[in-house]
């Protein structure tokens, strides 16, 4: 027995000596960098904080198990502000200066689309955890961008889920659509909702636009009051939703508002948004064991100012899934080489917290959506809709 142990021990010593010897070589890599590009400042900072924290947690877990392919994973966090230029600048910085070959980001479609141009020109792998606009992974001619993937469903699906919910569950026959023409995500989702709603026999009784700079929505809300729609579709981020829905309540508009994943924030004004519904990627009320253990792990690591466990939102969850996907693809590729990692990623199957992820030809996972309701200060799970 003792002899056997000694043999095992000697083998280990020799193996580790060999590894150290290789490690001393010029070509050996001790670490692999992964950049996280997220809106830590700007209009939607809760998106950035959640994304960063979800991603860092995945990296910590891999490092605790020895990293990937023997390399330590080093995160490089950059603030991309949910805007095109800051996202492009952050991408150029992490690629050119930090020599990063892998990017998790951005959150917002209008930042992820220009970011995808940079990564595909520079052969860097991108996984957007949460950007849902179709154009994130597709070129204008419909071809797929080889280095860009996402961990979430896309807006043609999300808009259809919202429209069907309005018609089938809320018995809506008419809808009014409010949207920001200058935001790829908001415009795309509004179009998808309208197409699905009319195709199913509903009528769009009004459509009004605003800009991301607007703070006074009274003129367009007056039109909503006049049109008396059964539902109002407002697929924007929480900052706009907070303003517009508070003003709608003041105006006495009682038709339920419906939105998309952009409503998901700890800073959503739950009083203003009361009675509203939104489509999302995940609910913490999901009873699957993988979700429950995720809540526990996240809550143990991240606490609020009073020391209370923070409940991960969809952004944190998808950032965690996207980061795990990236690292699993590096492992599967067997090399710290973005060219090989993008190929490994295309064929990967990953059991994520937000669902099982495999990519279709357009680098989109096929996943279910959940519908959540804002009621009495809480966000409550209503139902799950499969593709
Ligand atoms: N889907 C949004 C976009 O593409 C981003 C988002 C995802 C926001 C999930 C909140 C939650 O811009």
């Amino acid at each position: 027995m003792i002899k056997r142990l000694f043999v095992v021990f000697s083998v280990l010593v020799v193996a580790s000596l060999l590894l150290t010897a290789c490690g001393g070589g010029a070509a050996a890599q001790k670490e692999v960098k992964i950049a996280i590009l997220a809106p830590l400042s700007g209009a939607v900072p809760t998106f950035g904080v959640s994304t960063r924290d979800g991603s860092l947690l995945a990296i910590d877990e891999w490092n605790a198990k020895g990293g990937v392919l023997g390399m330590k994973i080093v995160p490089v966090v950059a603030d991309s502000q949910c805007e095109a230029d800051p996202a492009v600048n952050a991408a150029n910085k992490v690629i050119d200066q930090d020599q990063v070959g892998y990017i998790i980001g951005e959150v917002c479609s209008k930042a992820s689309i220009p970011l995808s141009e940079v990564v595909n020109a520079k052969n860097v792998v991108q996984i957007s955890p949460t950007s849902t606009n179709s154009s994130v992974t597709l070129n204008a001619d419909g071809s797929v961008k080889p280095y860009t993937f996402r961990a979430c469903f896309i807006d043609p699906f999300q808009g259809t889920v919202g429209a069907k919910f309005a018609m089938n569950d809320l018995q809506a026959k008419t809808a009014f659509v409010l949207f920001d023409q200058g935001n790829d995500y908001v415009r795309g989702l509004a179009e998808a909702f309208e197409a699905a709603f009319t195709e199913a026999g509903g009528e769009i009784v009004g459509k009004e636009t605003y800009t991301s700079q607007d703070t006074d929505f009274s003129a367009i809300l007056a039109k909503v009051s006049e049109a008396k729609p059964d539902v109002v579709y407002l697929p924007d981020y929480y900052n706009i939703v907070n303003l517009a829905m508070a003003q709608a309540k003041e105006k006495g508009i009682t038709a339920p508002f419906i939105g998309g994943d952009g409503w998901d924030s700890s800073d959503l004004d739950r009083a203003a948004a009361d009675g509203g519904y939104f489509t999302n990627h995940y609910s913490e009320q999901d009873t699957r064991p993988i979700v429950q253990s995720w809540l526990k792990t996240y809550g143990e690591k991240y606490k609020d100012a009073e020391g209370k466990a923070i409940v991960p939102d969809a952004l944190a969850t998808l950032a965690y899934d996207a980061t795990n996907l990236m690292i699993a693809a590096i492992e599967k590729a067997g090399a710290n080489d973005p060219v090989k990692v993008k190929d490994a990623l295309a064929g990967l199957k990953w059991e994520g917290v937000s669902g099982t992820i495999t990519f279709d030809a357009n680098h989109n996972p096929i996943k279910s959506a959940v519908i959540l309701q804002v009621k009495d200060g809480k966000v409550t799970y209503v139902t799950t809709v499969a593709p």
Side-chain angles (χ1 to χ4, degrees):
M1 181 65 182
I2 294 205
K3 194 165 164 210
R4 249 240 304 282
L5 272 178
F6 181 72
V7 171
V8 170
F9 180 68
S10 321
V11 168
L12 282 175
V13 168
V14 172
S16 71
L17 279 176
L18 279 173
L19 277 176
T20 320
C22 299
Q29 288 166 314
K30 292 210 176 69
E31 55 178 52
V32 52
K33 288 181 181 166
I34 297 183
I36 304 161
L37 264 54
L40 296 164
S41 70
V44 286
T46 70
F47 290 174
V49 171
S50 294
T51 300
R52 179 197 61 197
D53 291 352
S55 186
L56 289 177
L57 181 42
I59 291 175
D60 279 356
E61 287 180 354
W62 280 84
N63 279 335
K65 287 182 292 179
V68 62
L69 304 175
M71 298 175 286
K72 181 174 183 236
I73 306 158
V74 177
V76 178
V77 179
D79 180 10
S80 41
Q81 297 175 35
C82 185
E83 294 291 347
D85 290 347
V88 166
N89 294 340
N92 284 322
K93 188 246 163 203
V94 299
I95 297 169
D96 300 339
Q97 286 177 32
D98 302 309
Q99 309 280 305
V100 159
Y102 315 95
I103 292 178
I104 302 299
E106 227 258 5
V107 169
C108 303
S109 295
K110 68 174 166 182
S112 286
I113 294 169
L115 171 58
S116 71
E117 304 295 328
V118 179
V119 302
N120 283 279
K122 297 191 173 181
N123 297 0
V124 165
V125 186
Q126 170 192 16
I127 306 179
S128 168
T130 41
S131 289
T132 44
N133 185 279
S134 302
S135 304
V136 171
T137 61
L138 296 181
N139 292 304
D141 65 1
S143 60
V144 68
K145 300 173 188 172
Y147 285 87
T148 302
F149 297 77
R150 74 178 107 215
C152 53
F153 53 60
I154 56 173
D155 287 333
F157 169 66
Q158 177 168 210
T160 303
V161 170
K164 289 200 170 143
F165 176 75
M167 301 196 84
N168 301 338
D169 296 75
L170 303 181
Q171 265 78 51
K173 294 190 172 49
T174 60
F176 201 111
V177 181
L178 298 174
F179 68 105
D180 175 359
Q181 181 75 39
N183 183 321
D184 297 299
Y185 157 72
V186 180
R187 191 186 59 247
L189 195 44
E191 281 166 6
F193 176 90
E194 180 178 353
F197 196 78
T198 38
E199 194 179 311
E203 191 193 342
I204 302 293
V205 290
K207 220 161 71 173
E208 291 293 331
T209 61
Y210 52 83
T211 76
S212 62
Q213 307 306 316
D214 286 343
T215 52
D216 180 0
F217 297 86
S218 54
I220 59 175
L221 289 171
K223 296 191 176 152
V224 173
S225 295
E226 259 167 55
K228 297 195 176 52
D230 295 333
V231 294
V232 182
Y233 196 55
L234 176 61
D236 211 322
Y237 301 139
Y238 66 93
N239 59 322
I240 297 284
V241 172
N242 287 350
L243 290 172
M245 286 190 73
Q247 291 169 31
K249 286 229 158 30
E250 278 166 27
K251 271 207 149 34
I253 296 172
T254 52
F257 276 60
I258 302 175
D261 51 357
W263 285 31
D264 187 14
S265 172
S266 51
D267 282 356
L268 177 74
D269 180 341
R270 288 167 169 69
D274 193 74
Y277 297 88
F278 64 102
T279 42
N280 204 1
H281 306 270
Y282 130 106
S283 163
E284 78 274 6
Q285 290 153 32
D286 190 327
T287 51
R288 282 180 302 133
I290 193 169
V291 174
Q292 293 310 313
S293 75
W294 161 240
L295 293 179
K296 201 165 156 266
T297 317
Y298 194 90
E300 275 163 11
K301 185 168 166 86
Y302 299 113
K303 314 271 184 204
D304 66 13
E306 282 114 53
K308 246 182 67 200
I310 296 178
V311 177
D313 55 15
L315 295 124
T317 307
L318 285 170
Y320 178 76
D321 283 352
T323 308
N324 277 319
L325 269 167
M326 187 74 93
I327 302 170
I330 296 171
E331 184 170 63
K332 188 178 166 206
N336 178 4
D337 176 356
V339 179
K340 292 188 179 139
V341 171
K342 72 153 184 357
D343 295 335
L345 197 48
L348 199 70
K349 180 174 183 179
W350 182 259
E351 215 52 62
V353 178
S354 63
T356 306
I357 299 175
T358 52
F359 295 104
D360 68 9
N362 292 337
H363 293 177
N364 300 322
I366 309 297
K367 293 163 80 189
S368 298
V370 297
I371 293 174
L372 306 176
Q373 181 182 23
V374 189
K375 193 84 208 127
D376 302 328
K378 287 202 273 293
V379 176
T380 326
Y381 170 81
V382 178
T383 185
T384 300
V385 184

